[in-house]
Coordinates of all heavy atoms in Angstrom, one line a residue:
M1 N -26.2 -23.3 -32.0 CA -24.9 -23.8 -31.7 C -24.3 -22.9 -30.6 O -24.4 -21.7 -30.6 CB -24.0 -23.7 -33.0 CG -22.5 -23.7 -32.8 SD -21.5 -23.8 -34.3 CE -22.0 -22.3 -35.2
T2 N -23.7 -23.5 -29.6 CA -23.0 -22.8 -28.6 C -21.5 -23.1 -28.6 O -21.1 -24.2 -28.6 CB -23.6 -23.2 -27.2 OG1 -25.0 -22.9 -27.2 CG2 -22.9 -22.4 -26.1
L3 N -20.8 -22.0 -28.7 CA -19.3 -22.1 -28.7 C -18.8 -21.5 -27.4 O -19.3 -20.5 -26.9 CB -18.7 -21.3 -29.9 CG -19.2 -21.8 -31.2 CD1 -18.7 -20.8 -32.3 CD2 -18.6 -23.2 -31.5
V4 N -17.8 -22.1 -26.8 CA -17.2 -21.7 -25.6 C -15.7 -21.4 -25.8 O -15.0 -22.3 -26.1 CB -17.4 -22.7 -24.4 CG1 -16.8 -22.2 -23.1 CG2 -18.9 -23.0 -24.2
F5 N -15.3 -20.1 -25.6 CA -13.9 -19.7 -25.8 C -13.4 -19.2 -24.5 O -14.1 -18.5 -23.8 CB -13.8 -18.6 -26.9 CG -14.0 -19.1 -28.3 CD1 -15.2 -19.0 -28.9 CD2 -12.9 -19.6 -29.0 CE1 -15.4 -19.5 -30.2 CE2 -13.1 -20.1 -30.3 CZ -14.3 -20.0 -30.9
P6 N -12.1 -19.5 -24.3 CA -11.5 -18.9 -23.1 C -11.2 -17.4 -23.4 O -10.8 -17.0 -24.5 CB -10.2 -19.7 -22.9 CG -9.9 -20.2 -24.3 CD -11.2 -20.4 -25.0
A7 N -11.4 -16.6 -22.4 CA -11.1 -15.2 -22.4 C -10.1 -14.9 -21.3 O -10.3 -15.4 -20.2 CB -12.3 -14.3 -22.4
V8 N -9.2 -14.0 -21.5 CA -8.2 -13.6 -20.5 C -8.6 -12.2 -20.0 O -8.8 -11.3 -20.7 CB -6.8 -13.5 -21.0 CG1 -5.8 -13.0 -20.0 CG2 -6.4 -14.9 -21.6
F9 N -8.9 -12.1 -18.7 CA -9.4 -10.9 -18.0 C -8.3 -10.3 -17.2 O -7.5 -11.0 -16.5 CB -10.6 -11.2 -17.1 CG -11.8 -11.4 -17.9 CD1 -12.1 -12.7 -18.5 CD2 -12.8 -10.5 -18.0 CE1 -13.2 -12.9 -19.2 CE2 -14.0 -10.7 -18.7 CZ -14.2 -11.9 -19.3
K10 N -8.3 -9.0 -17.1 CA -7.3 -8.3 -16.2 C -8.1 -7.1 -15.6 O -8.7 -6.3 -16.3 CB -6.1 -7.8 -16.9 CG -5.2 -7.0 -16.0 CD -3.8 -6.7 -16.7 CE -3.0 -6.0 -15.6 NZ -1.7 -6.5 -15.5
E11 N -8.0 -7.0 -14.3 CA -8.6 -5.9 -13.6 C -7.7 -4.7 -13.4 O -6.5 -4.9 -13.2 CB -9.1 -6.3 -12.2 CG -9.8 -5.2 -11.4 CD -10.3 -5.7 -10.0 OE1 -9.9 -6.8 -9.6 OE2 -11.0 -4.9 -9.4
H12 N -8.2 -3.5 -13.6 CA -7.4 -2.3 -13.5 C -7.5 -1.8 -12.1 O -8.5 -2.1 -11.3 CB -7.8 -1.3 -14.5 CG -7.5 -1.7 -15.9 ND1 -6.3 -1.7 -16.5 CD2 -8.4 -2.1 -16.9 CE1 -6.3 -2.1 -17.7 NE2 -7.6 -2.4 -18.0
D13 N -6.7 -0.9 -11.7 CA -6.7 -0.3 -10.3 C -8.0 0.4 -10.0 O -8.4 0.4 -8.9 CB -5.5 0.7 -10.2 CG -4.2 0.1 -10.2 OD1 -4.1 -1.2 -9.9 OD2 -3.2 0.7 -10.5
N14 N -8.7 0.9 -11.0 CA -10.0 1.6 -10.8 C -11.2 0.7 -10.8 O -12.3 1.2 -10.7 CB -10.2 2.7 -11.8 CG -10.3 2.2 -13.2 OD1 -10.3 1.0 -13.5 ND2 -10.5 3.1 -14.2
G15 N -10.9 -0.6 -10.8 CA -12.0 -1.6 -10.8 C -12.6 -2.0 -12.1 O -13.5 -2.8 -12.2
S16 N -12.1 -1.3 -13.2 CA -12.6 -1.7 -14.5 C -11.8 -2.9 -15.0 O -10.8 -3.3 -14.4 CB -12.4 -0.5 -15.5 OG -11.0 -0.2 -15.7
Y17 N -12.3 -3.5 -16.0 CA -11.7 -4.7 -16.6 C -11.5 -4.6 -18.1 O -12.2 -3.9 -18.7 CB -12.5 -6.0 -16.3 CG -12.5 -6.5 -14.9 CD1 -13.3 -5.9 -14.0 CD2 -11.7 -7.6 -14.6 CE1 -13.3 -6.4 -12.7 CE2 -11.7 -8.1 -13.3 CZ -12.5 -7.5 -12.3 OH -12.5 -7.9 -11.0
E18 N -10.5 -5.4 -18.6 CA -10.4 -5.6 -20.0 C -10.2 -7.1 -20.2 O -9.7 -7.8 -19.3 CB -9.2 -4.8 -20.6 CG -7.8 -5.2 -20.0 CD -6.7 -4.4 -20.6 OE1 -6.3 -4.7 -21.8 OE2 -6.2 -3.5 -19.9
C19 N -10.5 -7.5 -21.4 CA -10.3 -8.9 -21.7 C -9.9 -9.1 -23.2 O -10.2 -8.2 -24.0 CB -11.4 -9.8 -21.3 SG -12.8 -9.9 -22.5
Y20 N -9.3 -10.2 -23.5 CA -9.1 -10.6 -24.9 C -9.3 -12.1 -25.1 O -9.2 -12.8 -24.1 CB -7.7 -10.1 -25.4 CG -6.6 -10.9 -24.8 CD1 -6.0 -12.0 -25.4 CD2 -6.0 -10.5 -23.5 CE1 -5.0 -12.7 -24.8 CE2 -5.0 -11.2 -23.0 CZ -4.5 -12.3 -23.6 OH -3.4 -13.0 -23.0
F21 N -9.5 -12.5 -26.3 CA -9.7 -13.9 -26.6 C -8.5 -14.4 -27.4 O -8.2 -14.0 -28.5 CB -10.9 -14.1 -27.5 CG -12.2 -13.8 -26.8 CD1 -12.8 -12.6 -26.8 CD2 -13.0 -14.9 -26.2 CE1 -14.0 -12.3 -26.2 CE2 -14.2 -14.6 -25.6 CZ -14.7 -13.4 -25.6
P22 N -7.7 -15.3 -26.8 CA -6.5 -15.7 -27.4 C -6.8 -16.4 -28.8 O -5.9 -16.4 -29.7 CB -5.9 -16.8 -26.4 CG -6.4 -16.4 -25.1 CD -7.8 -15.8 -25.4
D23 N -7.9 -17.0 -28.9 CA -8.3 -17.7 -30.2 C -8.9 -16.9 -31.2 O -9.0 -17.3 -32.4 CB -9.2 -18.9 -29.8 CG -8.5 -19.9 -28.9 OD1 -7.3 -20.1 -29.0 OD2 -9.2 -20.4 -28.0
L24 N -9.4 -15.7 -30.9 CA -10.2 -14.8 -31.8 C -9.3 -13.6 -32.0 O -9.3 -12.7 -31.2 CB -11.5 -14.5 -31.2 CG -12.4 -15.7 -30.8 CD1 -13.7 -15.1 -30.2 CD2 -12.7 -16.6 -31.9
E25 N -8.6 -13.6 -33.1 CA -7.7 -12.5 -33.4 C -8.3 -11.1 -33.3 O -9.3 -10.8 -33.9 CB -7.1 -12.7 -34.8 CG -6.0 -11.7 -35.1 CD -5.4 -12.0 -36.5 OE1 -5.7 -13.1 -37.1 OE2 -4.6 -11.1 -37.0
C26 N -7.7 -10.3 -32.5 CA -8.1 -8.9 -32.3 C -9.5 -8.7 -31.7 O -10.1 -7.7 -31.8 CB -8.0 -8.1 -33.6 SG -6.3 -8.0 -34.3
C27 N -9.9 -9.7 -31.0 CA -11.3 -9.7 -30.3 C -11.0 -9.3 -28.9 O -10.5 -10.1 -28.1 CB -12.0 -11.0 -30.5 SG -13.7 -10.9 -29.9
T28 N -11.5 -8.1 -28.5 CA -11.3 -7.6 -27.1 C -12.5 -7.0 -26.6 O -13.5 -6.7 -27.3 CB -10.1 -6.6 -27.1 OG1 -10.6 -5.4 -27.9 CG2 -8.8 -7.1 -27.6
A29 N -12.6 -6.8 -25.3 CA -13.7 -6.1 -24.6 C -13.2 -5.4 -23.4 O -12.1 -5.8 -22.8 CB -14.8 -7.1 -24.3
E30 N -14.0 -4.5 -22.9 CA -13.7 -3.8 -21.6 C -15.0 -3.4 -21.0 O -16.0 -3.4 -21.6 CB -12.7 -2.7 -21.8 CG -13.2 -1.6 -22.8 CD -12.2 -0.5 -23.0 OE1 -11.0 -0.8 -23.1 OE2 -12.6 0.6 -23.2
G31 N -14.9 -3.0 -19.7 CA -16.1 -2.6 -19.0 C -15.7 -2.0 -17.7 O -14.6 -2.1 -17.2
D32 N -16.7 -1.3 -17.1 CA -16.5 -0.7 -15.8 C -16.5 -1.7 -14.6 O -16.0 -1.3 -13.6 CB -17.6 0.4 -15.6 CG -17.5 1.5 -16.5 OD1 -16.4 1.8 -17.0 OD2 -18.6 2.1 -16.8
S33 N -17.0 -2.9 -14.9 CA -17.0 -3.9 -13.8 C -16.8 -5.2 -14.5 O -16.8 -5.3 -15.8 CB -18.4 -4.0 -13.1 OG -19.4 -4.4 -14.0
F34 N -16.6 -6.3 -13.7 CA -16.4 -7.6 -14.3 C -17.6 -8.0 -15.1 O -17.5 -8.5 -16.2 CB -16.1 -8.6 -13.2 CG -15.8 -10.0 -13.8 CD1 -14.6 -10.3 -14.4 CD2 -16.8 -11.0 -13.7 CE1 -14.4 -11.6 -14.9 CE2 -16.6 -12.2 -14.2 CZ -15.4 -12.6 -14.8
D35 N -18.8 -7.8 -14.5 CA -20.0 -8.2 -15.2 C -20.2 -7.5 -16.5 O -20.6 -8.0 -17.5 CB -21.3 -8.0 -14.3 CG -21.3 -9.0 -13.2 OD1 -20.6 -10.0 -13.2 OD2 -22.0 -8.7 -12.2
D36 N -19.9 -6.2 -16.5 CA -20.0 -5.4 -17.8 C -19.1 -5.9 -18.8 O -19.4 -6.0 -20.0 CB -19.7 -3.9 -17.5 CG -20.7 -3.1 -16.8 OD1 -21.9 -3.6 -16.8 OD2 -20.4 -2.1 -16.3
T37 N -17.9 -6.3 -18.4 CA -16.9 -6.8 -19.3 C -17.3 -8.2 -19.9 O -17.1 -8.4 -21.1 CB -15.5 -6.9 -18.6 OG1 -15.2 -5.6 -18.0 CG2 -14.4 -7.2 -19.6
V38 N -17.9 -9.0 -19.0 CA -18.4 -10.3 -19.5 C -19.4 -10.1 -20.6 O -19.4 -10.7 -21.7 CB -18.9 -11.2 -18.4 CG1 -19.7 -12.4 -18.9 CG2 -17.8 -11.6 -17.5
R39 N -20.4 -9.2 -20.3 CA -21.4 -8.9 -21.3 C -20.8 -8.4 -22.6 O -21.2 -8.8 -23.7 CB -22.5 -7.9 -20.8 CG -23.4 -8.5 -19.8 CD -24.6 -7.6 -19.5 NE -24.1 -6.4 -18.6 CZ -24.0 -6.5 -17.3 NH1 -24.4 -7.6 -16.7 NH2 -23.6 -5.5 -16.6
N40 N -19.9 -7.4 -22.5 CA -19.2 -6.9 -23.7 C -18.4 -7.9 -24.4 O -18.3 -7.9 -25.6 CB -18.4 -5.7 -23.3 CG -19.2 -4.5 -22.8 OD1 -20.4 -4.4 -23.1 ND2 -18.6 -3.7 -22.0
A41 N -17.8 -8.9 -23.7 CA -17.0 -9.9 -24.3 C -17.9 -10.9 -25.1 O -17.5 -11.3 -26.2 CB -16.2 -10.7 -23.2
I42 N -19.1 -11.2 -24.5 CA -20.0 -12.0 -25.3 C -20.4 -11.4 -26.6 O -20.4 -12.0 -27.6 CB -21.3 -12.3 -24.4 CG1 -20.9 -13.2 -23.2 CG2 -22.4 -13.0 -25.2 CD1 -22.0 -13.4 -22.2
D43 N -20.7 -10.1 -26.5 CA -21.1 -9.3 -27.7 C -19.9 -9.3 -28.7 O -20.1 -9.5 -29.9 CB -21.5 -7.9 -27.4 CG -22.8 -7.8 -26.7 OD1 -23.6 -8.8 -26.8 OD2 -23.1 -6.8 -26.1
A44 N -18.7 -9.1 -28.2 CA -17.5 -9.0 -29.1 C -17.3 -10.3 -29.8 O -17.0 -10.4 -31.0 CB -16.3 -8.5 -28.3
A45 N -17.3 -11.4 -29.0 CA -17.1 -12.8 -29.6 C -18.2 -13.1 -30.6 O -17.9 -13.7 -31.6 CB -17.0 -13.8 -28.5
Y46 N -19.4 -12.8 -30.2 CA -20.6 -13.1 -31.2 C -20.3 -12.4 -32.5 O -20.4 -13.0 -33.6 CB -21.9 -12.6 -30.5 CG -23.1 -12.7 -31.4 CD1 -23.8 -13.9 -31.5 CD2 -23.5 -11.7 -32.3 CE1 -24.9 -14.1 -32.4 CE2 -24.5 -11.8 -33.1 CZ -25.2 -13.0 -33.2 OH -26.3 -13.1 -34.0
N47 N -20.0 -11.1 -32.4 CA -19.8 -10.3 -33.7 C -18.6 -10.9 -34.4 O -18.6 -10.9 -35.7 CB -19.6 -8.8 -33.3 CG -20.8 -8.2 -32.8 OD1 -21.9 -8.6 -33.2 ND2 -20.7 -7.2 -32.0
W48 N -17.5 -11.3 -33.8 CA -16.3 -11.8 -34.4 C -16.7 -13.1 -35.2 O -16.4 -13.3 -36.3 CB -15.3 -12.1 -33.4 CG -13.9 -12.4 -34.0 CD1 -12.9 -11.5 -34.1 CD2 -13.5 -13.7 -34.5 NE1 -11.8 -12.2 -34.7 CE2 -12.1 -13.5 -34.9 CE3 -14.0 -14.9 -34.7 CZ2 -11.4 -14.5 -35.5 CZ3 -13.3 -15.9 -35.3 CH2 -12.0 -15.7 -35.7
I49 N -17.5 -14.0 -34.5 CA -17.9 -15.3 -35.1 C -18.8 -15.0 -36.2 O -18.7 -15.7 -37.3 CB -18.5 -16.2 -34.0 CG1 -17.4 -16.6 -33.0 CG2 -19.2 -17.4 -34.6 CD1 -18.0 -17.1 -31.7
M50 N -19.8 -14.1 -36.1 CA -20.7 -13.9 -37.2 C -20.0 -13.3 -38.4 O -20.4 -13.7 -39.6 CB -21.8 -12.9 -36.7 CG -22.8 -13.5 -35.7 SD -23.5 -15.1 -36.2 CE -24.6 -14.5 -37.6
V51 N -19.0 -12.5 -38.3 CA -18.3 -12.0 -39.4 C -17.6 -13.1 -40.1 O -17.6 -13.3 -41.3 CB -17.3 -10.9 -39.0 CG1 -16.3 -10.6 -40.1 CG2 -18.0 -9.6 -38.6
E52 N -17.0 -14.0 -39.3 CA -16.3 -15.2 -39.9 C -17.3 -16.1 -40.6 O -17.0 -16.6 -41.7 CB -15.6 -15.9 -38.8 CG -14.7 -17.1 -39.3 CD -13.6 -16.6 -40.2 OE1 -13.0 -15.6 -40.0 OE2 -13.3 -17.4 -41.2
L53 N -18.4 -16.3 -40.1 CA -19.4 -17.2 -40.7 C -20.0 -16.6 -42.0 O -20.5 -17.4 -42.8 CB -20.6 -17.5 -39.7 CG -20.2 -18.4 -38.5 CD1 -21.4 -18.6 -37.6 CD2 -19.7 -19.8 -39.0
E54 N -19.9 -15.3 -42.1 CA -20.4 -14.7 -43.4 C -19.4 -14.8 -44.5 O -19.8 -14.6 -45.7 CB -20.7 -13.2 -43.1 CG -21.9 -13.0 -42.2 CD -22.2 -11.6 -41.8 OE1 -21.4 -10.7 -42.2 OE2 -23.1 -11.3 -41.1
E55 N -18.2 -15.3 -44.2 CA -17.2 -15.5 -45.3 C -17.6 -16.7 -46.2 O -18.3 -17.5 -45.7 CB -15.8 -15.8 -44.7 CG -15.3 -14.6 -43.9 CD -14.9 -13.4 -44.7 OE1 -14.4 -13.6 -45.8 OE2 -15.1 -12.3 -44.3
D56 N -17.1 -16.7 -47.4 CA -17.4 -17.8 -48.3 C -16.9 -19.1 -47.8 O -17.6 -20.1 -47.9 CB -16.8 -17.5 -49.7 CG -17.5 -16.4 -50.5 OD1 -18.7 -16.2 -50.2 OD2 -16.8 -15.8 -51.3
E57 N -15.8 -19.1 -47.1 CA -15.2 -20.3 -46.5 C -14.8 -19.9 -45.1 O -13.7 -19.6 -44.7 CB -13.9 -20.7 -47.3 CG -14.2 -21.2 -48.7 CD -13.0 -21.7 -49.4 OE1 -12.1 -22.2 -48.7 OE2 -13.0 -21.6 -50.6
P58 N -15.8 -20.0 -44.2 CA -15.6 -19.7 -42.8 C -14.5 -20.6 -42.2 O -14.5 -21.8 -42.5 CB -16.9 -19.8 -42.1 CG -17.8 -20.5 -43.1 CD -17.2 -20.4 -44.4
D59 N -13.7 -20.1 -41.3 CA -12.7 -20.8 -40.7 C -12.6 -20.5 -39.2 O -11.8 -19.6 -38.8 CB -11.3 -20.5 -41.4 CG -10.2 -21.4 -40.8 OD1 -10.5 -22.5 -40.3 OD2 -9.0 -20.9 -40.9
L60 N -13.5 -21.1 -38.4 CA -13.4 -20.9 -37.0 C -12.2 -21.5 -36.4 O -11.8 -22.6 -36.7 CB -14.7 -21.4 -36.3 CG -16.0 -20.7 -36.7 CD1 -17.2 -21.4 -36.0 CD2 -15.9 -19.2 -36.3
P61 N -11.5 -20.8 -35.5 CA -10.3 -21.4 -34.9 C -10.6 -22.5 -33.9 O -11.7 -22.7 -33.4 CB -9.7 -20.2 -34.1 CG -10.9 -19.4 -33.8 CD -11.9 -19.5 -34.9
M62 N -9.5 -23.3 -33.7 CA -9.6 -24.4 -32.7 C -9.6 -23.6 -31.3 O -9.0 -22.6 -31.2 CB -8.3 -25.2 -32.8 CG -8.2 -26.0 -34.1 SD -9.5 -27.3 -34.2 CE -9.1 -28.4 -32.9
I63 N -10.3 -24.2 -30.4 CA -10.4 -23.6 -29.1 C -9.3 -24.1 -28.2 O -9.1 -25.3 -28.0 CB -11.8 -24.0 -28.5 CG1 -12.9 -23.4 -29.3 CG2 -11.9 -23.5 -27.0 CD1 -14.3 -23.8 -29.0
S64 N -8.5 -23.2 -27.6 CA -7.4 -23.5 -26.7 C -7.9 -24.0 -25.4 O -8.9 -23.6 -24.9 CB -6.5 -22.3 -26.5 OG -6.0 -21.8 -27.7
S65 N -7.1 -24.9 -24.8 CA -7.4 -25.3 -23.4 C -6.7 -24.3 -22.5 O -5.7 -23.7 -22.9 CB -6.9 -26.7 -23.2 OG -5.5 -26.8 -23.2
P66 N -7.2 -24.1 -21.3 CA -6.6 -23.1 -20.4 C -5.1 -23.4 -20.2 O -4.3 -22.5 -20.0 CB -7.4 -23.3 -19.1 CG -8.7 -23.8 -19.6 CD -8.4 -24.7 -20.8
E67 N -4.7 -24.7 -20.2 CA -3.3 -25.0 -20.0 C -2.3 -24.5 -21.1 O -1.1 -24.3 -20.9 CB -3.1 -26.5 -19.9 CG -3.8 -27.2 -18.7 CD -5.3 -27.4 -19.0 OE1 -5.7 -27.6 -20.2 OE2 -6.1 -27.3 -18.0
E68 N -2.9 -24.2 -22.2 CA -2.1 -23.7 -23.4 C -1.9 -22.2 -23.4 O -1.2 -21.7 -24.2 CB -2.8 -24.1 -24.7 CG -2.9 -25.6 -24.9 CD -3.8 -25.9 -26.1 OE1 -4.8 -25.3 -26.4 OE2 -3.4 -26.9 -26.8
I69 N -2.6 -21.5 -22.5 CA -2.6 -20.1 -22.5 C -1.6 -19.6 -21.4 O -1.7 -19.9 -20.2 CB -4.0 -19.5 -22.2 CG1 -4.9 -20.0 -23.4 CG2 -4.0 -18.0 -22.2 CD1 -6.4 -19.7 -23.1
T70 N -0.7 -18.7 -21.8 CA 0.3 -18.2 -20.9 C -0.3 -16.9 -20.3 O -0.6 -15.9 -21.1 CB 1.6 -17.9 -21.5 OG1 2.1 -19.1 -22.1 CG2 2.6 -17.3 -20.6
L71 N -0.4 -16.8 -19.0 CA -1.0 -15.6 -18.4 C 0.1 -14.7 -17.9 O 1.2 -15.1 -17.4 CB -1.9 -16.0 -17.2 CG -3.1 -16.8 -17.6 CD1 -3.9 -17.2 -16.3 CD2 -4.0 -16.0 -18.5
K72 N -0.1 -13.4 -17.9 CA 0.7 -12.4 -17.3 C 0.2 -12.1 -15.9 O -0.9 -12.5 -15.5 CB 0.7 -11.1 -18.1 CG 1.3 -11.3 -19.5 CD 1.2 -10.0 -20.3 CE 1.6 -10.2 -21.7 NZ 1.3 -9.1 -22.6
E73 N 1.0 -11.5 -15.1 CA 0.6 -11.2 -13.7 C -0.7 -10.4 -13.7 O -0.9 -9.5 -14.4 CB 1.7 -10.4 -13.0 CG 1.4 -10.1 -11.5 CD 2.5 -9.4 -10.8 OE1 3.7 -9.4 -11.3 OE2 2.2 -8.8 -9.8
G74 N -1.6 -10.9 -12.8 CA -2.9 -10.2 -12.6 C -4.0 -10.7 -13.6 O -5.1 -10.2 -13.5
E75 N -3.7 -11.6 -14.5 CA -4.6 -12.1 -15.5 C -5.3 -13.4 -15.0 O -4.7 -14.1 -14.3 CB -4.0 -12.3 -16.9 CG -3.5 -11.0 -17.5 CD -2.9 -11.3 -18.9 OE1 -2.4 -12.4 -19.1 OE2 -2.9 -10.3 -19.7
S76 N -6.5 -13.6 -15.5 CA -7.2 -14.8 -15.2 C -8.0 -15.2 -16.4 O -8.4 -14.4 -17.2 CB -8.1 -14.7 -14.0 OG -9.1 -13.7 -14.2
I77 N -8.3 -16.5 -16.5 CA -9.0 -17.1 -17.6 C -10.5 -17.4 -17.2 O -10.7 -18.0 -16.1 CB -8.4 -18.3 -18.2 CG1 -7.0 -18.0 -18.7 CG2 -9.2 -19.0 -19.3 CD1 -6.2 -19.3 -19.1
H78 N -11.4 -17.0 -18.0 CA -12.8 -17.4 -17.8 C -13.4 -17.8 -19.1 O -13.1 -17.1 -20.1 CB -13.6 -16.2 -17.2 CG -13.1 -15.7 -15.9 ND1 -13.4 -16.2 -14.7 CD2 -12.2 -14.7 -15.6 CE1 -12.8 -15.6 -13.8 NE2 -12.0 -14.7 -14.3
N79 N -14.2 -18.8 -19.1 CA -14.8 -19.3 -20.4 C -16.0 -18.4 -20.7 O -16.8 -18.1 -19.8 CB -15.3 -20.7 -20.3 CG -14.1 -21.7 -20.3 OD1 -13.1 -21.4 -21.0 ND2 -14.2 -22.8 -19.6
I80 N -16.2 -18.0 -22.0 CA -17.3 -17.2 -22.5 C -18.1 -18.1 -23.4 O -17.5 -18.6 -24.4 CB -16.8 -15.9 -23.1 CG1 -16.0 -15.1 -22.2 CG2 -17.9 -15.2 -23.8 CD1 -16.8 -14.5 -21.0
S81 N -19.4 -18.2 -23.2 CA -20.3 -19.0 -24.1 C -21.0 -18.0 -25.0 O -21.5 -17.0 -24.6 CB -21.3 -19.7 -23.2 OG -20.7 -20.6 -22.4
V82 N -21.0 -18.4 -26.3 CA -21.7 -17.6 -27.3 C -22.6 -18.5 -28.0 O -22.3 -19.6 -28.6 CB -20.6 -17.0 -28.3 CG1 -21.3 -16.2 -29.3 CG2 -19.6 -16.2 -27.6
H83 N -23.9 -18.1 -28.1 CA -24.9 -18.9 -28.7 C -25.1 -18.2 -30.1 O -25.4 -17.1 -30.3 CB -26.2 -18.8 -27.9 CG -27.3 -19.6 -28.5 ND1 -27.3 -21.0 -28.5 CD2 -28.4 -19.3 -29.2 CE1 -28.4 -21.5 -29.1 NE2 -29.1 -20.4 -29.6
I84 N -25.0 -19.1 -31.1 CA -25.2 -18.6 -32.5 C -26.3 -19.4 -33.2 O -26.4 -20.6 -33.1 CB -23.9 -19.0 -33.4 CG1 -22.6 -18.4 -32.7 CG2 -24.0 -18.6 -34.8 CD1 -22.6 -16.9 -32.8
R85 N -27.2 -18.6 -33.8 CA -28.3 -19.2 -34.5 C -27.9 -19.4 -36.0 O -27.6 -18.4 -36.7 CB -29.6 -18.3 -34.5 CG -30.3 -18.4 -33.3 CD -31.5 -17.5 -33.4 NE -32.6 -18.1 -32.7 CZ -33.6 -17.4 -32.4 NH1 -33.8 -16.2 -32.8 NH2 -34.6 -17.9 -31.6
L86 N -27.8 -20.6 -36.5 CA -27.4 -20.8 -37.8 C -28.6 -20.6 -38.8 O -28.4 -20.1 -39.9 CB -26.8 -22.2 -38.0 CG -25.6 -22.5 -37.2 CD1 -25.1 -23.9 -37.4 CD2 -24.5 -21.5 -37.6
N87 N -29.8 -21.0 -38.4 CA -31.0 -20.8 -39.2 C -32.1 -20.3 -38.4 O -32.3 -20.7 -37.3 CB -31.4 -22.2 -39.8 CG -30.4 -22.8 -40.7 OD1 -29.9 -22.1 -41.6 ND2 -30.2 -24.1 -40.6
E88 N -32.8 -19.3 -38.9 CA -33.8 -18.7 -38.1 C -34.8 -19.7 -37.6 O -35.4 -20.5 -38.4 CB -34.5 -17.6 -39.0 CG -35.5 -16.7 -38.2 CD -34.8 -15.9 -37.2 OE1 -33.7 -15.4 -37.5 OE2 -35.4 -15.6 -36.2
G89 N -35.1 -19.7 -36.4 CA -36.1 -20.6 -35.8 C -35.7 -22.0 -35.5 O -36.4 -22.7 -34.8
W90 N -34.5 -22.5 -35.9 CA -34.2 -23.9 -35.7 C -34.0 -24.3 -34.2 O -34.2 -25.4 -33.9 CB -32.9 -24.3 -36.5 CG -31.7 -23.8 -35.9 CD1 -31.1 -22.6 -36.1 CD2 -30.8 -24.5 -35.0 NE1 -30.0 -22.4 -35.3 CE2 -29.8 -23.6 -34.6 CE3 -30.9 -25.7 -34.4 CZ2 -28.8 -24.0 -33.8 CZ3 -29.8 -26.1 -33.5 CH2 -28.8 -25.2 -33.2
D91 N -33.6 -23.3 -33.4 CA -33.3 -23.7 -32.0 C -34.3 -23.1 -31.0 O -34.0 -23.0 -29.9 CB -31.9 -23.3 -31.7 CG -31.7 -21.8 -31.8 OD1 -32.5 -21.1 -32.4 OD2 -30.6 -21.3 -31.4
E92 N -35.4 -22.6 -31.5 CA -36.4 -22.0 -30.6 C -37.2 -23.1 -29.9 O -37.4 -24.1 -30.3 CB -37.3 -21.1 -31.4 CG -36.6 -19.9 -31.9 CD -37.4 -18.9 -32.7 OE1 -38.6 -19.3 -33.1 OE2 -37.0 -17.8 -33.0

């Protein structure tokens, strides 16, 4: 299963980035570069989703469209894809 969530990115003066997922409560990432931050964001979203799926009654959030997200100055939206294996070997 592949899920695509919007992530809000902001670049800092030193060239590092931070991001958050509006749909994944408290799910954030940062990195020394944009590419590092994207990799960390994929890991953060994957871990967030896996914790939710381990619940007795998982409740994945609805995915916001970019038009629904209010950005602050200097922020941009990028979609992050997360591949989840539900059963070992099913998607190999």
Side-chain angles (χ1 to χ4, degrees):
M1 163 173 58
T2 299
L3 300 171
V4 180
F5 285 96
V8 177
F9 286 77
K10 180 170 179 134
E11 183 177 9
H12 296 285
D13 292 338
N14 65 1
S16 67
Y17 284 80
E18 65 179 281
C19 82
Y20 69 92
F21 292 86
D23 301 321
L24 306 178
E25 185 176 349
C26 299
C27 186
T28 63
E30 56 186 37
D32 293 333
S33 68
F34 181 77
D35 290 343
D36 286 342
T37 307
V38 168
R39 282 190 290 275
N40 294 338
I42 292 168
D43 287 343
Y46 175 87
N47 291 332
W48 192 100
I49 292 164
M50 291 306 293
V51 167
E52 185 61 36
L53 290 175
E54 290 172 359
E55 296 291 324
D56 289 333
E57 295 183 29
D59 185 25
L60 292 176
M62 295 294 293
I63 298 171
S64 298
S65 68
E67 298 81 28
E68 298 172 321
I69 300 171
T70 303
L71 297 176
K72 297 175 185 170
E73 186 176 338
E75 293 182 334
S76 60
I77 297 174
H78 300 275
N79 287 325
I80 299 296
S81 298
V82 180
H83 183 73
I84 303 291
R85 283 183 148 165
L86 296 178
N87 296 315
E88 191 66 35
W90 76 274
D91 59 348
E92 293 179 349

